[in-house]
Structures are given as C-alpha cells and as structure tokens.
Amino acid sequence: MTYQIKKAAVLGSGVMGSGIAAHLANIGIPTLLLDMVPRNLSDEDKVNSKVRNQIAQGSLDKLLKQKPAPLASKKNLALLTAGNFEDDLDKLKDVDWIIEVIVENLDIKKGLYEKIDAVRKPGTIVSSNTSGISINSMAEGRSKDFQTHFLGTHFFNPPRYLKLLEVIPATSTSTEVIEFMKEFGEDRLGKGVVIAKDTPNFIANRIGTYGLLVTLREMLARGYSVGEVDSVTGPAIGRPKSATFRTLDVVGLDTFGHVAKNVFDQTTGDEQKVFELPAMITKMLENGWLGAKSGQGFFVKKGKEILELNPETMEYEAVKKLKTPSLEMAKQQKGLAAKVKTLTYAKDRTGELLWSILAPTLTYSAKLHGEIADDIVAIDNAMKWGFGWEQGPFEIWDAIGVKESVEKMTAEGIEVPAFAQSLLDQGFDSFYKEDNAETYFFNGQDYSPVPTNEKVINLKQFKKKHGVIKKNSGASLIDLGDGIALLEFHSQANSIGPDIIQMINFAVDEVEKNFKGLVIGNQGKNFSVGANLGMILMEAQDDNIFELDFVVRSFQNAMLKIKYSSKPVVAAPFGMTLGGGAEVCLPAAHIQASHETYMGLVEAGVGLIPGGGGNKELYMKHLKGLPNGVQIDYQFIANKVFETIAMAKVSTSGEEARENNFLNFVDGISVNADHLIYDAKQVALSLYENNYKAPLREKVPVTGESGYATLLLGAEGMFLSGFISEHDLKIAKKLAYVLAGGKVPYGTLVDEQYLLDLEREAFLSLVAEPKSQARMQNMLVKGKPLRN
C-alpha cells in the first residue's frame, strides 16, 4: 500500500498536542485539533459549537502568543481547525494520520481508541505521543487494520524546534507503516527519527532522566551547589547552556517527576532505586516550585538577579560557579573529545563530579543496549537530537577512552556491562571507528557501517573522503559530485572578510569553467553572522578609509559576480543569516533556506547600513515579485524596504523570510536542516539542466528626491516622538538617500553600479562616525546593540 498524509488530526490540545498540530501546519498539512467539551455548560451553551470547541480553540489562540513561536508563520493558523471529541470524531474518516496526545492513562487512551476504530477509514495511521505507556498495551483489543497501522510517535517539546522523533512500533505494526513513518518523519516533518523499542520511556527519556537523577544525587551526596553543577554539565562537556538544573526548570519538575515515576513503576532493584525521586524534589513539588512554569524551581529571578536554590536550607541564594584548574586546562584543548577527557579524569572537584555522573550513565546506556534500541547509533542519536548533547553516551565513552575508563571502573568496583566488556575482550578499543572516511559502529561482535542517507551530506566526512579543490582561512571550495561545487565558509562565526571574498571570486570563476553550478552553504552553527565587524572597526579606528573602501568595493563586486554568473549559484542559508550573510544570498539565482532561517539586514544595529549591495538587492527583490504590466507604486516598495532595513527586522523562520521578501515565491525551504545541502545541490542541477541563463543587467526605477523626502518625513516623525535617537535618524537619512537613488526625479532608471556607489559612500561615512564605532564596539564586547 502507498501511504500519503494529506490531512491529519491531533486529539488532545494541551501544550504538546497544539505544538504538534502547529508543526503539521508549518509543513502545509491541514489539521483538525480536538479536545473535550467543557464541563457544566448551560443549556444555551450546550448547543453552541463555539463554546463546545473552546478548549481546542483556546489552545489554537495561544499559539500566536507562545515563545518560542510554534508557528513558522501566523498565516499557518488557517490550516488548523478546532473541534471536540463528542461532535467531531466522525471527521476522522477524512484524515490520513490521527495522533493521540491525551492524558497518560492507559484506560482512557484505550477508550478513545475504541471510538477512533469505529470511525477511521482502513489504512489510516494512528499513533500515540505517549512518553512511556506501552504501545502494545494500547493496541490490545482493536481491529486488525487498526493494530497494523498503530505505533508510537514520540515528539519532544517544543515539536517545531526539537529534532528527535522516536518511532515505536507495536508487535502488530506493519513494516510498510514503520518505513513510511520513518521516511515521512525525516523528509516532511524534518525530524531525526530513531526506531525505539516498546520499553519504559523509550530511549532518550530513559537515559536522560537516569542521567539527571544521578547528577542530582551526586550533587546532594558530595556537597555541590546547583550553580556549580550547571557550570560544568553544560557547554564545557558538549551539553546545552541550560545544563542540568536549568533544563529541569524548563521541562517542569512535575513533568520530570511523572517521567521518573513511569520507569520506577516498571523496574526493580538498583535501577528502580535510581528512579525514586529524592526528598528535595518531593519537597519542591509540594511547594509548587515546578520551575519556569511556576516562576521558581532550582532557580528564581528576584529583580534583575538570578538566585539558586540551596539544597540544604531550601532557601535561594547567589549563584555559585565551580572554578578549578581543569576547567582552565580544558579551554586549551582542541576539540570536544579532548576537553571532556581532560575534565573527566581531573583530580579536582570538576573531575570528581563528572566521573561520578558519567560512569553510571555510560554503564547504564551499555546495559540497555539491545533492550531499548537495536544499536548504539540509535541511542547516541536519540540523546543528541532529544537532549541536545553534542556527543551521545557511546561517543563520550570513546572520547574518554574505553580501556582507560573500564580499568578505573573495575578498580572502583563498578560493574562493567557485558556489551562494553565484549568490545575489549575482542581486542577493540572504541565503539566507533573510521576506515577510509567511513564510520563504523560496534554491534556486539564486530563493526557495521553507520547507516547513511543520501540526503544527509556530512561535509566534514565528505572532505575527508574527497578532499577540497582550494581553501584559505575563511572558506573552502568542494566538489559535491554530479558537476556541482560547494563554497563552504569556515571563518569564526562564518563572518565575511577579505579571505571569503577572495574565495567567492575564485569559486564563481572555477564553476563557470568546470562545473554545472555552485552551492554556497556550510554546516556551522549559523550560515553567517555578517561582515567581519572586528576588522571593520579596527580599520575605522585607524582611519584606514581607503582600505575599507577597497574591501567594500570588493565585496560588492563579488556579489555582482554571484548574480551574473553564467552558471546557477544557489545559496543555502540556515540559522542566523545576518547582514553580509543575507547579502550573499540575495543575488543568488535561487535561495534554498532552512526552515529555521533567521535572516535580516541588521547593520543599523551597529550604526551602519548594508554595504555589500543588500539595499539594492532587497529593493529589486520586491520589484521582481510584482506581476508584469501592472502600475507600480515605487514609493510603497521603497517604504517597505526602508522599514525592513532601518528597523533591522530579522525573520523568525524561513517562511517569514519569504514574507519579508528576502525569499521569493520560487525560492525553497528545507524542513529538515540535514537535507539542506542535498536539496540545494538538486536545485543547482535542475537549473543547469533546464538551460539556466544569467539575468540581464537592467536599470532600476527609483523614487528619487520626492521619495527621499517621504522616507525622511517618516524617520523624523519617529525621532520627534522619541522612538529613535539622533544617531538613528542620521543612519535613516543615509539609508533613505540610498534607497531613493539620490537627487533624481521619481521613476528615473538608474544603473546598479550607481546605487552601489551611493551605498558604499553612505556606509563609509557612517563607519567614520564615533557613535557608530561605539555601537560596533558594544556589539563585539557585549554581543548586543547599543542605542546612542
């Protein structure tokens, strides 16, 4: 059977249910959101559909207010319809996927499934977002077709942003349904999918909760403070900034307690003891100190100060951080693996804490191998995608040395699981190994290749296998195969300086001679945070305006080279794509953006305007979006572009980048960030194969003097109202002059180079301003804009 999901229904409209519905809407799937009818309704309200649907509708209304935003665009709300379990269950016959997200109670779930079974059409997939109730138990008593199409699909909260999707088949689930949901989860939902076994809390929550409880117990037993633990269990070891206790505050202690109890109720012996909540947590739950949702947990904000909970006194006090020699030593190490090893074996309070946390977590993960998942790759991926770890447990074990750590465990009387011992007994010394740039994992007897997906191009591995065409300190040109080259930025924060400009020029020349197309993309934390601000400030403070003029002119010329390349150039932005990063994308033949692309021309925040052609290109992008033959109000367009740049607007998604006209209607959005480079490559190939032709150089219609006056009027009004400072007004005047095209009549057609010259002159004049330099300095030192 061929499966398709054109419509969906989510049953249960709580935070998780509404979040899943929002994510379905983000990918264009019309979704019905159902919940209970409110209790104790008046006779009048009992026949009022709006009142009967108000629980689900209320959840939909909240989607517009939540942060981070569940919806990639407010427009996506139109794809969501509220309903209730009493009146609307028959509508389930029209959907292709039903997701149950109701209370974690087996009997209540089974009662709902009985009703679903009576109305669903054969072949409709039904799944539960349960975080731990047995999938097989839920499927009991249902029709054969229901059981064949039933499985667990465990999303992590918030569903739009967290990558992990655990797919948990029942024994009755058909292989075709499992394979379809894995592919659908990756390609349409944009998730990292792991196949988990039907065990308590599945993979990520089982190991993650165990690790959190072990950390909590070690803190209490060894006398560490909450802040001290968080200072070493976050980025120092490749974990999120929220580390341990800020993570628990965000998750909510009530949710954490429920997940822990779920394992406690289904295990025995020493394992069960670990999942028994410590008295401290029980006390916090009694007090209602649930974390962020209640305003206090392990941390509380008093005024502008963050305080931490003292486990002994249960009072809040100033946050402490652990300061040890090993933390300073680790900073000098290259690579996460070396840092983690340095800290774990350190003979100080950091090493003592980390070893006491990692040793039991690693051995627990090894004990569960084969029980919760078929291989270590699924376990490692689940922890990376669900909990934000940079390394999964078996990757961490490799980092600290399997042989060395097992010797230490044995000496301390820690039981080493058979799976880990068998690795050493066979003469191996790591769970993963590389051979000819391919990665293999230990399967219990030997090594198997790590499963790969052609849509996931790992540039680090790719370069090891295929090498690079040319590189410098800022960028590399790589042969992606099939006639497509890739220009990868790898400067600090992927900031754009002369080295990257040089490589852009080389890349376009090389592609025009020897390739079918070029992709500009990378796999850093962000696509690019913009121009090299430190270099610009240094040159400005040294009064090297001539040098800056040369750099800006070079950048502008490189952007024109991208735009008028005879071979298609496809930009693949993701994450922060700011300032110069956005300017690299705007002239490309096509933009293939990630779903999570935060794009904007933000130069006003550092006292400047875009200098690499961004003003011109964004204005022209607006013009190109208009149909031929209609009368165009250039002033309206100039106003819109002026507002976007002057207010330093940044999109909160790829979809919003399109709404802000950084993307046009033919540009693409990849929901799965891991597929971005592959998708961009396919677009470049398609453009080439469809006889791509570079755009003709055309003159640009501008608003001229009258338009400048109009833009200025708006800016001065904001200044007089106190919304912007005097220096903001100066920046706005420069921007208005550039967008208006200077002192020419309305509708004058001007050359692109003329606009670039205006842009460059304005940029250089602002660079020389002391207040602009102060803004640049503040951004570099404090990481946030200064309003002066």
Side-chain angles (χ1 to χ4, degrees):
M1 181 175 178
T2 302
Y3 293 99
Q4 282 187 311
I5 295 177
K6 294 180 180 178
K7 289 183 179 179
V10 176
L11 312 188
S13 71
V15 172
M16 199 71 203
S18 61
I20 292 170
H23 190 60
L24 291 170
N26 287 337
I27 62 171
I29 295 177
T31 300
L32 183 64
L33 182 65
L34 304 184
D35 213 311
M36 295 185 297
V37 174
R39 294 192 179 101
N40 304 319
L41 294 181
S42 65
D43 290 341
E44 183 182 349
D45 285 339
K46 282 178 183 176
V47 294
N48 185 326
S49 61
K50 282 189 177 180
V51 175
R52 293 175 69 80
N53 294 343
Q54 71 182 16
I55 293 178
Q57 186 59 54
S59 295
L60 292 183
D61 294 341
K62 287 178 187 174
L63 292 175
L64 297 173
K65 301 170 187 173
Q66 288 175 26
K67 290 190 187 290
L71 293 167
S73 167
K74 291 179 180 179
K75 293 177 182 176
N76 294 342
L77 192 63
L79 289 168
L80 300 175
T81 305
N84 68 75
F85 294 147
E86 293 180 20
D87 305 328
D88 301 305
L89 278 183
D90 63 315
K91 293 177 182 176
L92 298 183
K93 69 181 184 296
D94 299 321
V95 307
D96 309 297
W97 182 19
I98 301 165
I99 311 165
E100 170 271 304
V101 200
I102 65 169
V103 64
E104 291 285 75
N105 179 296
L106 179 59
D107 290 336
I108 295 175
K109 286 180 188 288
K110 290 183 78 168
L112 180 59
Y113 293 153
E114 186 175 356
K115 294 175 182 177
I116 293 170
D117 208 357
V119 295
R120 65 179 278 279
K121 66 177 183 286
T124 298
I125 295 169
V126 183
S127 70
S128 173
N129 184 65
T130 180
S131 59
I133 293 179
S134 168
I135 304 300
N136 285 302
S137 297
M138 287 191 277
E140 287 173 0
R142 301 278 49 83
S143 67
K144 186 176 180 182
D145 188 81
F146 185 106
Q147 291 182 332
T148 303
H149 293 88
F150 180 71
L151 72 168
T153 51
H154 183 215
F155 289 80
F156 277 63
N157 195 33
R160 171 183 164 186
Y161 299 96
L162 281 189
K163 186 175 177 178
L164 180 61
L165 176 64
E166 291 176 321
V167 169
I168 312 101
T171 53
S172 59
T173 313
S174 79
T175 304
E176 291 79 10
V177 168
I178 300 167
E179 289 174 350
F180 169 77
M181 287 307 296
K182 184 176 190 303
E183 185 177 341
F184 179 83
E186 291 171 347
D187 291 353
R188 290 292 309 280
L189 294 171
K191 297 299 177 187
V193 178
V194 295
I195 305 298
K197 296 194 175 185
D198 189 16
T199 55
N201 285 12
F202 314 127
I203 303 174
N205 275 344
R206 180 80 169 267
I207 293 173
T209 305
Y210 181 92
L212 288 167
L213 284 165
V214 165
T215 304
L216 182 58
R217 290 181 191 284
E218 292 301 326
M219 176 189 77
L220 296 172
R222 297 173 185 272
Y224 290 84
S225 78
V226 164
E228 284 178 329
V229 172
D230 268 12
S231 66
V232 296
T233 57
I237 58 168
R239 305 279 174 85
K241 285 182 181 178
S242 55
T244 299
F245 295 109
R246 286 189 194 278
T247 295
L248 285 172
D249 274 356
V250 171
V251 168
L253 265 70
D254 51 346
T255 302
F256 174 69
H258 171 80
V259 173
K261 185 178 184 302
N262 195 48
V263 183
F264 179 84
D265 290 344
Q266 298 181 63
T267 52
T268 57
D270 291 339
E271 181 180 10
Q272 187 184 55
K273 288 177 185 175
V274 175
F275 284 93
E276 184 177 359
L277 291 178
M280 178 187 182
I281 297 290
T282 304
K283 179 67 175 173
M284 291 173 74
L285 290 171
E286 289 172 359
N287 291 347
W289 298 353
L290 306 180
K293 66 177 76 173
S294 67
Q296 69 183 106
F298 287 100
F299 295 94
V300 69
K301 190 173 184 180
K302 294 286 178 74
K304 292 186 177 180
E305 190 180 6
I306 304 287
L307 302 177
E308 66 174 41
L309 184 65
N310 183 317
E312 293 182 4
T313 65
M314 295 299 282
E315 301 285 337
Y316 289 95
E317 55 189 43
V319 174
K320 302 182 190 72
K321 289 189 177 181
L322 206 55
K323 293 181 180 177
T324 60
S326 62
L327 284 166
E328 293 305 312
M329 285 173 60
K331 290 175 184 176
Q332 312 307 316
Q333 301 295 323
K334 286 190 176 181
L336 179 60
K339 292 179 193 292
V340 173
K341 187 169 186 177
T342 298
L343 293 172
T344 303
Y345 293 122
K347 298 191 182 303
D348 58 23
R349 276 171 57 77
T350 296
E352 178 189 333
L353 175 64
L354 284 180
W355 175 257
S356 70
I357 294 168
L358 288 180
T361 304
L362 299 182
T363 54
Y364 186 66
S365 301
K367 283 176 187 172
L368 293 175
H369 175 265
E371 179 185 334
I372 60 174
D374 285 331
D375 56 61
I376 64 172
V377 178
I379 294 173
D380 280 347
N381 283 339
M383 299 314 299
K384 290 189 287 188
W385 296 338
F387 277 72
W389 294 10
E390 284 187 47
Q391 295 177 317
F394 294 96
E395 291 170 317
I396 293 171
W397 212 333
D398 279 353
I400 66 172
V402 180
K403 187 178 179 184
E404 190 176 349
S405 62
V406 166
E407 287 173 357
K408 186 171 168 66
M409 290 171 186
T410 304
E412 294 178 2
I414 299 171
E415 182 186 349
V416 179
F419 177 70
Q421 190 61 55
S422 68
L423 177 90
L424 298 174
D425 290 346
Q426 293 177 68
F428 304 133
D429 60 5
S430 65
F431 289 103
Y432 291 93
K433 71 171 186 176
E434 278 199 19
D435 188 11
N436 194 28
E438 299 289 344
T439 306
Y440 298 81
F441 70 94
F442 181 64
N443 59 24
Q445 281 88 37
D446 202 345
Y447 287 91
S448 299
V450 170
T452 56
N453 180 337
E454 67 163 350
K455 294 182 180 179
V456 179
I457 298 173
N458 183 312
L459 291 180
K460 190 176 179 182
Q461 291 288 104
F462 194 90
K463 286 188 289 185
K464 282 182 184 177
K465 192 168 185 179
H466 302 285
V468 298
I469 298 166
K470 184 177 180 179
K471 70 177 288 187
N472 64 19
S473 58
S476 296
L477 186 65
I478 306 160
D479 185 346
L480 273 186
D482 301 315
I484 303 298
L486 175 113
L487 180 62
E488 176 199 26
F489 298 167
H490 46 64
S491 59
Q492 186 174 0
N494 290 334
S495 62
I496 298 165
D499 47 1
I500 285 181
I501 295 170
Q502 182 187 52
M503 282 298 297
I504 290 172
N505 287 320
F506 173 82
V508 175
D509 287 342
E510 180 67 17
V511 166
E512 287 189 318
K513 289 176 197 168
N514 299 313
F515 289 86
K516 296 176 180 177
L518 174 68
V519 172
I520 301 178
N522 64 76
Q523 290 173 337
K525 186 178 177 183
N526 296 292
F527 178 78
S528 173
V529 298
N532 186 332
L533 197 60
M535 181 271 291
I536 292 171
L537 178 60
M538 186 175 68
E539 297 292 353
Q541 289 175 334
D542 289 346
D543 232 6
N544 287 338
I545 301 301
F546 176 81
E547 180 68 26
L548 278 174
D549 179 75
F550 175 78
V551 172
V552 176
R553 196 184 296 266
S554 299
F555 187 35
Q556 290 181 341
N557 289 339
M559 298 306 96
L560 289 175
K561 199 155 193 164
I562 288 172
K563 183 172 185 176
Y564 294 110
S565 166
S566 62
K567 302 287 178 64
V569 178
V570 177
F574 62 94
M576 286 198 287
T577 304
L578 306 176
E583 288 182 296
V584 168
C585 298
L586 286 169
H590 183 98
I591 298 175
Q592 184 67 31
S594 168
H595 192 258
E596 300 304 325
T597 299
Y598 315 125
M599 184 180 280
L601 294 168
V602 296
E603 285 83 352
V606 290
L608 305 171
I609 69 164
N615 309 284
K616 165 184 71 74
E617 286 298 334
L618 188 58
Y619 178 68
M620 291 180 76
K621 199 110 177 173
H622 279 67
L623 290 174
K624 284 177 191 169
L626 298 168
N628 292 326
V630 299
Q631 190 171 355
I632 298 171
D633 183 352
Y634 301 125
Q635 188 63 59
F636 177 79
I637 293 171
N639 291 350
K640 198 162 185 194
V641 175
F642 177 79
E643 182 185 335
T644 299
I645 299 174
M647 303 301 288
K649 285 186 179 179
V650 177
S651 70
T652 59
S653 66
E655 243 180 285
E656 198 173 275
R658 197 194 305 280
E659 290 169 11
N660 292 346
N661 288 293
F662 283 88
L663 275 62
N664 60 31
F665 67 95
V666 296
D667 290 327
I669 295 173
S670 296
V671 181
N672 192 323
D674 288 344
H675 296 180
L676 181 60
I677 298 293
Y678 173 87
D679 292 343
K681 176 184 173 182
Q682 300 312 305
V683 171
L685 278 169
S686 176
L687 287 170
Y688 175 82
E689 286 160 4
N690 284 284
N691 300 313
Y692 174 79
K693 290 180 177 61
L696 295 172
R697 291 179 182 256
E698 296 178 319
K699 294 201 170 185
V700 185
V702 294
T703 59
E705 274 192 290
S706 62
Y708 173 61
T710 302
L711 293 174
L712 214 53
L713 195 64
E716 285 174 341
M718 291 186 74
F719 171 66
L720 292 171
S721 303
F723 288 110
I724 62 174
S725 69
E726 191 174 348
H727 193 58
D728 290 324
L729 180 60
K730 181 175 280 190
I731 297 164
K733 285 180 177 179
K734 298 281 186 184
L735 176 61
Y737 192 78
V738 170
L739 286 174
K743 295 184 176 180
V744 296
Y746 179 91
T748 299
L749 294 170
V750 299
D751 190 74
E752 279 187 85
Q753 189 58 54
Y754 167 78
L755 289 175
L756 287 173
D757 291 342
L758 289 181
E759 189 171 307
R760 192 175 66 257
E761 288 161 14
F763 179 90
L764 293 172
S765 68
L766 286 169
V767 158
E769 291 280 343
K771 285 189 176 179
S772 288
Q773 292 179 15
R775 290 190 179 194
M776 288 186 266
Q777 181 82 35
N778 197 77
M779 181 60 73
L780 287 167
V781 174
K782 297 184 179 178
K784 56 185 179 182
L786 168 71
R787 188 171 177 218
N788 56 0

